[in-house]
Amino acid sequence: MSAISYLQYGGKLLAFLPLSESGTMLKLNDPSLLKTKNFIDGQWVPGSAGTIDVTNPANGEVVATTANGDAADAARAVEAAARAFKHWSRIPAKQRAVLLRNWFNLLLEHADDLGAIMTAEQGKPLAESIGEIGYGAGFIEYFAEESKRVMGDTIPTIANDRRLQTYKQPVGVVGCITPWNFPNAMIARKAGPALASGCTIVIKPATETPLSALCMCELADRAGIPKGVINVVVGDNSQEIGKVLTQHKKISKFTFTGSTAVGKILMKQCADGVKKISLELGGNAPFIVFDDADIDAAIADCMATKFRNCGQTCVCTNRIYVQSGIADEFTSKLKTAIEALKVGDGFADDVTIGPLVNMTAVGEMKALMKDAKSKGAEILVGGKTHELGHCFFEPTLVTGLTPDMRMASEEIFGPIAAMQVFETEDEAIERANDTEFGLAAYFATRDIGRVMRVAERLEYGIVCSNSGVFSTEVAPFGGWKQSGLGSEGGKEGIAEFFETKFHSMGGIES
Ligand code: ADP
C-alpha cells in the first residue's frame, strides 16, 4: 500500500490518501469542491450519456468519475442561459461587478484546493496549478471592474433636430469550448468578460479536465451568481456538444480556445447562423537570440517559455533562432539548464516539469523525434519517453534543424527545444515570420534600436522582448493569421461581448 503523502503549500498542509488499489482520492480542505455532475440552471445534474472517468496523467489512476453530457444536455443548458440572460443582462453593471468580486475572492480563498484538483487531472506541478488559479481569478477581478467603464458615444449631430448616440449592449448567450492545458484560466478569460458584460454562458471544458471547471461553478454559485448565468456540460461528446454551442438559435456568440484545425471546423459551423466568434488557436512561437543579448537572461527566459506546462501552451517557444556568434555558448548553457529540470509527479516536491496530458501526446513527441532524427538532427539531451513511464517524456534539446523537419514548421506542444542558427537580423525576422501562425514571438537583444525594429516587423499578435513571460489580464492576448480572431484580456477582451447599437433620435427641436 502506498504511503500517505503530504505537501506543504502556502502554510497549509495538503494530504493525499490512497483510496484503493486502482485509485487515488484527493484530500481537499473543502471536499465539497470536487463536483462530478453537469452544472445546468444552477443544479447539479447527471449526464444523459452516462459517466466517464477522469484520470491522472502522472500515474493513470482514476481521480473521479463524472457525468458524460450530450447534445440534449447542452441544449438544456443553452435554454437555461437564455432564460437567465433576460434578468442578468438588465441588472446594473455595478451589481454584477459585486457578484463577480465575490467569485474572485472565493477562487483565491480556495486556491490550494483548486490547484490540487488541477494537478490531479492535468498533471502540471502544484505550484504552477496554484499560480494558474491566481492568474485566472485576475480575469474575473479585472472584468468586474472594467464592466463599469464600458461607454457608448454621444456623436456630434448632423442636423439640428437629431441627436446621435451609441449604446453597448451584451450580445446574448455565449457558447464556449476550452482546452485542457489551462483548465481554469481559459474559462476565466471567457467567463469573466462574458458575465461582466451581462451575457450568460454555456461551457464545454476539455474532456481531460472537467473537474477544474466544475469547482469554479460551485464557487460561482456560492458567490451568489444567479442560476443559469453560468452552465457547464462535461464529458467526451465534444463534437455533438460543439454543434449545439455553435448552431443553436439561442446562441449569439461562440468563443473557443484550442487547435487551429478544430477552430476551423467550429468557425464553419458558426457560419450558417452568422454567430459572432472569437478564436484563440495554435501558435508557432519563435525565440530569437541576437549576438548582443544578455545570454544568461535569455536562457532563463527561453526555459520559462519553452518548458512551462511541459511545453503544452500555445505561446510556448517552438523555434529557437540563435545568432551564429553566440550559438556555441547559448547551446551549451541551454543544455545545462535543460538537464537541471526535475521531472516528476506534479504533487512531488521540487518538480518543475510534469507529465504530458495523455498517451496521444507522448506518441506525437516520439513521432516528431523520429522524423527529426531521420533527417539528420542532433539530439543533445533527452529525446525519448522518460523512465517514470505513463505520460512522462524527457526534456529534450535538438539542434541542426532543417526546414524539411516537422518540428521546424509544426507546433510541438511538448518538452522539445528545437534550435537553429541564423546570421543577420533580416534573416531572423524573415524566418520567424515564415509561418501561417501569428500568436506570440520572443526575442532577446540589448540594442534599443533593434528592440523597436524587430518588435514592429514581427507578424504576431504578441511580441515579448527580453522576457519569457507576458500573460496578464490587463493586456490583450490574441493571434494574427491562423492563430485566431479577436483578443482576450484588456479592454479589447470585454469589447468582444458587446454589440454596438446606434440610436438616431429625431424630432428634437433645436
Ligand atoms: P488540443 O489538441 O489542445 O486538445 P483541440 O482543438 O483538439 O486541442 O481541443 C480543444 C477543445 O476542443 C477540447 O475541449 C476538445 O474536447 C474540443 N474539441 C475537439 N474537437 C472538437 C469538435 N470537433 N467539436 C467541438 N469541440 C471539439
Side-chain angles (χ1 to χ4, degrees), residues 177-180 204-207 238-239 242 256-259 262 266:
I177 296 181
T178 52
W180 45 263
K204 164 64 177 73
T207 305
S238 301
Q239 289 188 19
F256 172 72
T257 300
S259 63
V262 173
L266 297 169

Side-chain angles (χ1 to χ4, degrees), residues 7 32 37 57 91 97 116-117 149 246 252 267 283 297 382 386 407 458 486:
L7 189 78
S32 64
K37 292 183 175 163
I91 66 174
I117 288 170
R149 291 185 278 275
T246 50
S252 300
M267 192 175 175
H386 195 276
M407 62 176 76
L458 286 170

